Amino acid sequence: MLLVTIVAIPLFMTLVTALNPWRAWIGRLSAAANVAVLILGAWLGVQTMSGARVAAARLLRADSLSAVMVLVIAAVAVLATSFSAHTMGREIDAGATTRRHARQYLLWLQVFISAMLIAVLSANLGVVWVCVEATTIATTFLVSHRRTSGAFEASWKYVIICSVGIALAFLGTVLIYYAQLHAGAGSTSLNWTSLMAVARQLNPAVTRLGFAFVVLGYGTKVGLVPMHSWLPDAHSQAPAPVSALMSGVLLSVAFYALLRFRAVAELALGPSFPRTVLLIVGVASLVVATAALIAQRDLKRMLAYSSIEHMGLMAIGAAVGSPLAVAAVLLHILGHGVTKAVLFLSAGEIYTLEGSTEISELSGLLTRRPALGSVFGVGLVSLLALPPFSLFVSELTMFRAEVDAGLAWVVALSLACLAVIFASVLRHGRHVLLGARERATPADSRGRATIAVLVVALVLVAGLGLSSWPLSPLLWHAAHLVTP
Amino acid sequence: MNAAYVAALQVGAGVVLFCAVMTLWRRGVRTIVSLLGVQGLALGAVALVLGLHERNAALLASGGLVVILKGVVIPGVLLRASRLDPLSRETRPLVNVPASLVAAAVLIVLSYVSSARLTSLAPSVATRLVPLGVATILVGYFMLVTRRRAVSKIVGLILVDNGIALVAYLLTSGVPFVVEMGSSIDVLLVVVVLQFLLLSMRRHSDVDALTERRELHD
């Protein structure tokens, strides 16, 4: 019943937005609906914390890993939908968009959120694939919302690269299902539970091929190198709430699929093959993101490349595959999701107020717009994984697990990359926040309430860094699920 | 083993690959889209033949759906698009036609070599035809990479999806729910892309502007 309610709420909101023309209350209702999903997600967390599984009608199934994902999706969705209500209203007032486009935008936003929730609550790995594919369609519409030539180019690139990538993930899924059918047991559905039950008997040659395709395919949606080229374009061209959802949770939802398949591959093939594959893509992503961040000129592209960096770090953590490493990866998903959402949303506000996200054109934000400037600054501090924020704890824990697994060279390389990223982001951030005040702009009297939401989110991330006690049993149990 | 079943399966899978290679040869968009339709029908036929042979009602339903969606709906929508875009002939592919056909031959050989492992797990009439599906996927990728037009790219994408669906039918008699939902999403995908073409044309009166724009970079 709980699972059905969690899935039904966003679907109901999709229906509401589909049937009604744009109204400000629909935007607010959609934010309220996501608050409800967040509360139900917390309840699901309490129920699954002890290791129990919740299932409904053979199609839906949730364990502690799903609960963690529901929490992060709902948390970022609350931020994104409350901002969407705000920005759409403003865009309509300013004549930048029409009521029809605002309604389409909200509709696809709801489809997008529903697809992500169904993906993490589905029992069937095939349905997970279908949902991730559905997010591609929904977000393509969302990325092109502004209807500028840049937005069209970005969404065209996005739809082609991600469809090709996700097709590979389907091929991988087919191959693993084929191995499952011939693994002896009479299981005929692609349920994760039944797949794990026969995982040790899977044919190694077929599973190896299947896992490689799955990593390449879902890796495209995660934004891992070499299939990452769509990400900076799409994330910088999309409206801010969409960038927040894409960067904060869509990448992690695809990563969630990778975590599940990694567990199957580890049982079938032993730890070394999945580790090698994930290490290669993880380290490559980290290095490419570092190189791109050094000379970045645009604030939103900087945030996008930082997502590639964090996904790379998480892939390395997943490569280690110990419970400690995976628990840290899950904490990282939570911390990164909320932090990145806050940063993209405040970058969106910066764009609306200043008319640009070019780093060279922005300066002295902290003196001109103290509230917005400090939220963005504190967000950057969190993103750079400084204490007390939770990214500090999760990165440190990942490094510890990597050293335990004998991967000290990876830690050394990661630290070198992180040092370069730290210096580059600090330089860009300092220019934007503290640089010489170049032009006078009207004082900012709007949007106090929305900024308050971002402050609450940052306080939560900091709290999670100081003490993760309400979540640690959940994260720990979830990590054990995918580390056989 | 029923000889008619074997022959039907072989012809069906053969037509899927044949259509894929033909799309590399022909340049007119209308011809290519018709080939895509024939391929969709053949793909559905493979599912129907397998379904009849295994007396599997779900597979028969899936085959029927594929015939409707991939054989009729998708080509229909794409044909409408080609009417909207009179310049849609592939005029400047990155690799010319004779070289593309040679490449296709190489890809087919490659797919036979690489599929040997897959077949050896459970050799049967169906799984021995898997290389045809793999070759269709590879030809689809080749098309995606070497053709510039937006419609050609979407055709390449559908070739890849059809190839994967063929592999899924031949190896596992279809993954429950997924092949059908995947086909339905393909329809949505084509509609999405067409909307892009239309909007882009309204704005820039040239479809090329969409695929060859280089505004976003670092």
Side-chain angles (χ1 to χ4, degrees), chain A residues 126 133 137 140-141 147 149-150 152-153 155-156 163-164 167-168 170 177-178 182 203 233 237 296 301 305, chain B residues 118 121-122 141 144 150 157 161 164 171-172 176 178 185 189 192-193 195-196 199 203 211 213 215-216 218:
Chain A
E133 168 78 329
I137 310 264
T140 303
F141 283 112
R147 288 171 163 73
S149 62
F152 277 128
E153 182 189 342
S155 40
W156 170 256
S163 310
V164 169
L168 288 179
F170 181 38
Y177 180 57
Y178 173 55
H182 295 279
N203 177 294
D233 295 346
Q237 293 300 313
Q296 197 44 251
R301 290 182 81 86
Y305 275 108
Chain B
L118 295 179
L121 176 57
Y141 273 109
L144 256 170
L157 204 60
D161 281 349
I164 294 177
L171 281 183
T172 62
V178 183
I185 284 184
L189 192 73
V192 170
V193 172
Q195 200 195 358
F196 273 115
L199 284 168
R203 236 154 245 262
T211 47
R213 217 174 277 142
E215 195 176 290
L216 304 174
D218 286 308

Side-chain angles (χ1 to χ4, degrees), chain A residues 3-375:
Chain A
L3 297 187
V4 177
T5 320
I6 294 180
V7 171
I9 290 175
L11 288 178
F12 172 73
M13 274 313 301
T14 309
L15 205 65
V16 171
T17 43
L19 296 179
N20 292 290
W22 160 264
R23 295 268 188 286
W25 64 263
I26 296 183
R28 286 195 289 272
L29 181 65
S30 136
N34 282 304
V35 172
V37 173
L38 184 61
I39 293 168
L40 292 175
W43 188 17
L44 182 67
V46 173
Q47 287 197 350
T48 54
M49 199 183 273
S50 55
R53 269 190 224 128
V54 186
R58 285 177 60 211
L59 283 175
L60 297 175
R61 162 193 179 284
D63 49 28
S64 39
L65 182 57
S66 326
V68 173
M69 294 308 298
V70 171
L71 279 177
V72 64
I73 294 170
V76 176
V78 169
L79 293 177
T81 43
S82 55
F83 263 75
S84 295
H86 174 67
T87 51
M88 280 304 125
R90 194 164 56 189
E91 279 186 21
I92 289 175
D93 291 344
T97 195
T98 59
R99 283 174 180 279
R100 204 178 117 239
H101 288 159
R103 173 190 183 178
Q104 272 177 14
Y105 168 86
L106 209 59
L107 174 64
W108 287 113
L109 197 68
Q110 288 298 333
V111 172
F112 177 28
I113 295 170
S114 319
M116 288 196 290
L117 282 171
I118 299 174
V120 298
L121 291 175
S122 168
N124 187 308
L125 288 173
V127 178
V128 173
W129 177 81
V130 173
C131 290
V132 174
E133 168 78 329
T135 62
T136 309
I137 310 264
T139 43
T140 303
F141 283 112
L142 292 169
V143 171
S144 63
H145 169 75
R146 276 196 210 146
R147 288 171 163 73
T148 58
S149 62
F152 277 128
E153 182 189 342
S155 40
W156 170 256
K157 214 173 183 180
Y158 175 66
V159 75
I160 291 294
I161 296 180
C162 282
S163 310
V164 169
I166 208 70
L168 288 179
F170 181 38
L171 185 58
T173 310
V174 168
L175 292 179
I176 287 181
Y177 180 57
Y178 173 55
Q180 184 196 357
L181 283 183
H182 295 279
S187 55
T188 52
S189 73
L190 197 50
N191 279 346
W192 193 69
T193 340
S194 50
L195 187 56
M196 283 299 272
V198 296
R200 280 177 208 283
Q201 288 102 50
L202 294 180
N203 177 294
V206 174
T207 311
R208 197 173 293 132
L209 205 58
F211 182 68
F213 279 124
V214 163
V215 170
L216 211 56
Y218 283 118
T220 311
K221 289 289 281 192
V222 178
L224 293 172
V225 173
M227 307 279 278
H228 66 289
S229 63
W230 60 271
L231 193 147
D233 295 346
H235 287 203
S236 60
Q237 293 300 313
V242 178
S243 312
L245 274 171
M246 288 174 83
S247 198
V249 279
L250 179 57
L251 306 181
S252 310
V253 168
F255 198 85
Y256 157 91
L258 276 187
L259 280 177
R260 296 263 188 209
F261 277 107
R262 196 207 67 86
V264 174
E266 185 179 336
L267 281 178
L269 306 167
S272 81
F273 180 75
R275 175 175 292 183
T276 314
V277 173
L278 286 169
L279 263 185
I280 292 172
V281 291
V283 169
S285 308
L286 190 55
V287 171
V288 167
T290 308
L293 277 168
I294 295 175
Q296 197 44 251
R297 293 189 304 261
D298 184 281
L299 213 54
K300 286 183 91 178
R301 290 182 81 86
M302 177 183 93
L303 297 177
Y305 275 108
S306 138
S307 297
I308 299 181
E309 167 218 340
H310 284 279
M311 293 300 137
L313 285 173
M314 279 158 49
I316 297 172
V320 172
S322 64
L324 183 66
V326 176
V329 166
L330 295 176
L331 184 61
H332 206 77
I333 286 180
L334 279 168
H336 173 258
V338 177
T339 303
K340 199 43 87 47
V342 168
L343 281 169
F344 266 117
L345 291 172
S346 38
E349 288 294 289
I350 293 173
Y351 178 79
T352 329
L353 297 170
E354 306 276 319
S356 170
T357 51
E358 288 271 321
I359 292 170
S360 59
E361 288 179 20
L362 297 166
S363 64
L365 203 64
L366 209 54
T367 43
R368 286 187 291 122
R369 307 189 187 282
L372 184 58
S374 9
V375 166

Side-chain angles (χ1 to χ4, degrees), chain B residues 5 47-57 59-60 126 169-174:
Chain B
Y5 159 70
L48 292 174
V49 170
L50 279 168
L52 279 176
H53 181 71
E54 296 175 9
R55 307 205 184 291
N56 182 340
L59 198 51
L60 285 174
Y169 282 134
L170 292 174
L171 281 183
T172 62
S173 300

Side-chain angles (χ1 to χ4, degrees), chain B residues 108-137:
Chain B
I108 293 171
V109 173
L110 206 70
S111 62
Y112 268 93
V113 175
S114 59
S115 311
R117 274 194 205 159
L118 295 179
T119 311
S120 66
L121 176 57
S124 75
V125 177
T127 56
R128 281 199 196 93
L129 292 171
V130 162
L132 299 179
V134 175
T136 307
I137 300 171

